[in-house]
Amino acid sequence: MSAPFVHATAIVDAGARIGSGTRVWHFTHVSAGSVVGARCVLGQNVFVGPGVEIGDGVKIQNNVSVYAGVVLADDVFLGPSCVFTNVLTPRAHVERKDEFAPTVVGKGVTVGANATIVCGHRLGEYSLVGAGSVVTKDVPAHAVVVGNPARRAAWACRCGEILPGDGVCARCGDQYEVTAERCRWVQSRE
């Protein structure tokens, strides 16, 4: 695989690790102690905080800050200008760096443009957060959540399609066991 590409205007601090084939674009800052996996794309004006872990195949669109306490699994997509918080009750005059609440973003998750993820929650595998939504609690695997506060509106296939009631994806044919409370992948069409 190819060496990472880092644009001339980007800053990668000493001690940051960037995987092979990853591209770091204009005005992006990758902090010391962070780990960015292979085949990732960090768009323009992205900030990766110290100690952040980013898996393989992650795509982070322009103007996103991934702060300390956030973990991104493989194949996550973060839409433009989405926001992660890391302290529940911030005050400018009170130091709370020892109170960062972790946020775990599971494999294959999509977070839409301008969505806000309040810290301390988990986004389950292949969930989809609609653009502009505000996540204030855990999101189950495969859930499609929208609104403020974000609420489940549907279930999504691994390929991103909304699943019908029978749990068979119209696009890829994968089959899911779907109930009112959860969605679980059963098998691929192949």
Side-chain angles (χ1 to χ4, degrees), residues 19-126:
S20 62
T22 289
R23 295 174 304 216
V24 179
W25 291 103
H26 305 73
F27 312 113
T28 289
H29 182 180
V30 181
S31 299
S34 60
V35 177
V36 179
R39 305 176 322 281
C40 295
V41 177
L42 280 65
Q44 182 173 303
N45 197 38
V46 167
F47 173 73
V48 178
V52 167
E53 298 174 26
I54 297 175
D56 296 335
V58 172
K59 292 186 174 27
I60 303 176
Q61 300 299 298
N62 298 351
N63 306 311
V64 175
S65 293
V66 183
Y67 296 116
V70 176
V71 176
L72 304 177
D74 294 346
D75 302 320
V76 167
F77 178 90
L78 300 179
S81 302
C82 70
V83 175
F84 291 93
T85 68
N86 61 5
V87 174
L88 288 173
T89 56
R91 293 285 194 207
H93 64 281
V94 178
E95 187 69 38
R96 293 208 164 113
K97 289 184 180 174
D98 60 340
E99 297 178 26
F100 288 170
T103 300
V104 178
V105 181
K107 178 181 173 91
V109 169
T110 294
V111 177
N114 293 304
T116 298
I117 311 302
V118 175
C119 60
H121 301 294
R122 178 176 185 80
L123 304 183
E125 290 189 349
Y126 300 103

